[in-house]
Each structure stands twice: as C-alpha cells, then as structure tokens.
C-alpha cells in the first residue's frame, strides 16, 4: 500500500506550488480544493443541493456557484458555513476515495487538504502530514496579488484557518516557502526522497 501524505498550510503559503513540483516528479496528487471547484462548477454534482439550500441567487448566470457571494455569506454566518460543508464534504471525500482506488502501483500519494486539521476524516486517512509555511505578511501579499481581495478579507480568511503555531506543532515535515524557488525545490526534493521515491526513507 502506498503511504498517504497529507499536504496542508495556510492560504497563500504555496501548497499548489509544492504539489505541482511533486506532480512533475510523477507523484499522484489528489487535490481536495480542485475537487471542490469541480463540484461547484456549472453542471457540478453539488450545484443542485447548493441551489436548494441557499437559493438560486447563489448560482451564477454561467451555472456555477457564485463564489464571491458564497464567501461573504459563510464568513458572516456560521450556520450557512456548516450547511455548505454538509453539502460539499461528503462529496469531496467520496471523490478522494474514488481517486485513491484508481491510483496504480506507487510508493506514495499526496492528498492536498487546505483545512486538514479541521477534517477528522482526512486526519484518519493520511499517515504523514506536510505543512507548507511562510510568514503571514507573505501570505497576505500573495493572496491579494492573485485574487484581488483586500487585506481585511485575506486576514479574515486566515482567522478562519488553523493557527500557524498549531500547524507547525502538528506537522511531521515543514516546508519553508520564504525564499526563492531554488530553496523550495531543494526541500521538495528531500520530501520526495523521504516519501515518494522507489526507496523512501519513511520510518514505520
């Protein structure tokens, strides 16, 4: 059986960059955020339930979930956030398990879960946890640049996530993403050798 490695980190820390580097090395990647986007895209499996639970005004003219409207709603209303989670989480987990069942012979699989520490099902599933980390000021700058969100909006997202201190405390491996791509690549190479190469160094 391949080792299942959970990849997590705060928004803007560089999870996708690390996952892409490992994907380039041939590591199977299962991205729960990507699955969520598919489920909430036009024709996605979650669209009908979202329309029924939140109203048709949460579905855009393109048939996809209105992400901006939904983000504003769930940040302001805990019950609405729980409702969205009750719709999406079972569908995402089912798809993760389906993709795992389709993975061929390999040493390890990386499962990217942004909110891993708030997700008991994934904590039970993965055997090792890798946290991508950077300074909060870099998180904020990166997210503002790529998304157009304001600093206040980004800080609100960060507050919704597991604290940096707790992520670092619970990590088996920490990937620092404060430097250049060369420094990041060196750490990813070590991670690959530890968990995903033909002769991994993982301890049982």
């Amino acid at each position: 059986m391949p080792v299942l490695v959970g990849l997590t980190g705060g928004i803007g820390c560089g999870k996708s960059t690390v996952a892409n580097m490992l994907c380039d090395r041939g590591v199977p990647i299962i991205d729960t955020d990507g699955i969520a986007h598919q489920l909430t895209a036009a024709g996605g499996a979650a669209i009908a339930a979202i329309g029924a639970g939140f109203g048709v005004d949460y579905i855009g003219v393109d048939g996809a979930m209105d992400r901006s409207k939904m983000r504003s709603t769930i940040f302001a209303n805990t019950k609405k956030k729980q409702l969205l989670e009750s719709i999406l989480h079972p569908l995402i987990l089912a798809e993760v398990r389906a993709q795992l069942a389709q993975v061929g012979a390999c040493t390890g699989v990386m499962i990217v879960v942004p909110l891993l520490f708030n997700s008991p099902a994934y904590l039970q599933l993965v055997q090792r946890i890798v946290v991508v980390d950077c300074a909060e000021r870099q998180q904020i700058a990166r997210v503002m640049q790529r998304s157009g969100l304001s600093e206040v909006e980004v800080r609100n997202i960060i507050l919704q996530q597991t604290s940096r201190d707790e992520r670092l405390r619970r990590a088996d491996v920490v990937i620092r993403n404060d430097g250049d791509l060369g420094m990041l690549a060196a750490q990813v190479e070590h991670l690959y050798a530890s968990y995903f190469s033909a002769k991994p160094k993982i301890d049982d």
Side-chain angles (χ1 to χ4, degrees), residues 16-109:
S16 295
T17 302
V18 171
N20 288 337
M21 286 179 171
L22 288 169
C23 184
D24 289 342
R25 295 298 305 268
V27 176
I29 306 293
I30 300 176
D31 183 358
T32 58
D33 239 6
I35 293 171
H37 276 74
Q38 292 171 3
L39 292 170
T40 56
I47 290 298
I50 290 170
F54 289 87
V56 294
D57 53 329
Y58 282 81
I59 309 301
V61 294
D62 60 352
M65 183 182 75
D66 186 329
R67 300 186 189 283
S68 178
K69 185 177 181 67
M70 183 64 77
R71 180 170 54 244
S72 298
T73 296
I74 63 175
F75 281 153
N77 189 316
T78 301
K79 289 185 177 179
K80 292 293 187 181
K81 180 175 182 287
Q82 292 171 343
L83 174 58
L84 181 64
E85 290 173 347
S86 72
I87 294 170
L88 290 180
H89 286 187
L91 294 172
I92 295 171
L93 182 58
E95 178 60 23
V96 167
R97 293 189 184 280
Q99 291 188 26
L100 281 173
Q102 295 171 3
V103 170
C106 63
T107 302
V109 177

Side-chain angles (χ1 to χ4, degrees), residues 7-19:
L7 179 69
T8 193
I11 186 171
C13 283
K15 296 181 295 297
S16 295
T17 302
V18 171

